[in-house]
Amino acid sequence: MRASRVITVVGCHAGGEIGNVVTGGVLPPEGETVFEQMLALRADDSLRRLLLREPRGSVAVHANLVVPSRRPDCAAGFIIMEPTEYPAMSGSNTICVATVLLETGMVEMLEPETTLRLEAPAGVVEVTARCRGGRCESVELTNVPCFADRLDAALEVEGVGTISVDVAFGGMWYAIADAETLGFALEPAEARELSSVGELIRAAAREQLPCAHPDNPEIAGVSIAQIAEPWRGVGAVSRNAVVVAPGRLDRSATGTGLSARMAALYARGLMGVGEGMSHASVLGSTFDGRIVSETAIGGRPAIVPAIRGSAWITSITQILVDPDDPFPEGYLLSDTWPGNDQQA
């Protein structure tokens, strides 16, 4: 066996969504903040390609690079790598990172509860983990401030027609469409069609409904679509399907998606501080959400949401690159990666 590179990865999933965590073999990128480190990693992009493209990864895999945080109040930082982008925040990935840090001993686990702060590219995330017998049973993260940008915006979608969507920031920019109007029951058998329609919605929203974060204009543009059933009310479980570029379903209930949904409901006056709801994925896995407090971003009303879910470690592996491997950064094929190479 020969290897020009060896990377240690802890396999993990939250609610079915893979969020592997890189714990060794990669030096931290340059940068004073995790956002700056993310920009440096994105500019090079070789690590994401290596980990997420075939033959070492797949379109259904995310990876997180644990990095030191320069903030004295944070235990660590992490950079999120998804199939076509580097999002500023992700709920399922945060739950995976916190679980791996605690269960591998990288951060000391205290029972029955461990609290810590992590620095994501979008900002600092407060984490409270319920722990028992060496197991991280659940993770609640207090997300970055979230807000609605537009409600009931008209969107022309190729092959679908004109639909109404909400555009909201939940740590990522979402276009939220109504499943009932689109004729979806949000069942597993609809996965391929949901993915196709969701990707059309995402692409149309990115082109027609520009948006940018008031405090960080580089976090801009709808990058994810949510197809959600009509809201069932405070305390109830609502189903949703989140479509990740380049066109596949998020297996989890999606923490940033739940945050964006609550921000839109708050903007409509349907949810308030202290109230909660749950989202269920097409698989039936759930995340619980609640509105912790009100705030403002760029002069507009916003909320601070908390999301709770669980993750499970599935493996500890070493990724190798043979110096003669013809695919040192992997490859894409359109049977599983819709679109062309430029998307990723």
Side-chain angles (χ1 to χ4, degrees), residues 184-270:
F184 287 113
L186 302 179
E187 297 174 346
E190 298 172 324
R192 184 176 292 275
E193 188 178 359
L194 281 164
S195 296
S196 298
V197 172
E199 179 62 10
L200 290 171
I201 292 171
R202 183 200 68 81
R206 192 168 184 87
E207 178 181 351
Q208 299 171 38
L209 303 174
C211 51
H213 196 286
D215 292 343
N216 189 343
E218 292 191 70
I219 304 175
V222 169
S223 63
I224 201 160
Q226 180 182 135
I227 300 173
E229 73 174 2
W231 186 54
R232 294 184 178 272
V234 171
V237 179
S238 300
R239 295 182 72 85
N240 86 130
V242 166
V243 180
V244 180
R248 64 100 180 159
L249 283 189
D250 192 310
R251 273 60 175 152
S252 76
T254 314
T256 53
L258 178 50
S259 297
R261 185 82 184 279
M262 290 193 294
L265 291 166
Y266 169 81
R268 284 197 162 87
L270 296 175

Side-chain angles (χ1 to χ4, degrees), residues 240-320:
N240 86 130
V242 166
V243 180
V244 180
R248 64 100 180 159
L249 283 189
D250 192 310
R251 273 60 175 152
S252 76
T254 314
T256 53
L258 178 50
S259 297
R261 185 82 184 279
M262 290 193 294
L265 291 166
Y266 169 81
R268 284 197 162 87
L270 296 175
M271 288 190 72
V273 174
E275 295 182 327
M277 64 172 290
S278 298
H279 257 176
S281 70
V282 171
L283 281 178
S285 58
T286 59
F287 286 163
D288 301 323
R290 61 187 175 91
I291 298 177
V292 176
S293 62
E294 298 172 321
T295 186
I297 294 292
R300 69 183 77 189
I303 62 169
V304 175
I307 305 298
R308 183 168 59 86
S310 299
W312 291 265
I313 291 176
T314 58
S315 63
I316 299 177
T317 60
Q318 288 187 313
I319 305 296
L320 308 179

Side-chain angles (χ1 to χ4, degrees), residues 74 245 285 326 335:
C74 289
S285 58
D335 59 339

Side-chain angles (χ1 to χ4, degrees), residues 118-140:
L118 300 173
E119 185 182 357
V124 175
V125 179
E126 304 270 358
V127 170
T128 301
R130 298 177 185 173
C131 306
R132 182 174 61 178
R135 158 84 177 129
C136 181
E137 294 186 328
S138 70
V139 171
E140 182 176 86

Side-chain angles (χ1 to χ4, degrees), residues 146-170:
C146 302
F147 56 93
D149 183 74
R150 313 172 196 221
L151 300 176
D152 298 320
L155 182 67
E156 182 65 32
V157 181
E158 179 185 353
V160 177
T162 303
I163 64 171
S164 177
V165 299
D166 295 339
V167 176
F169 181 77

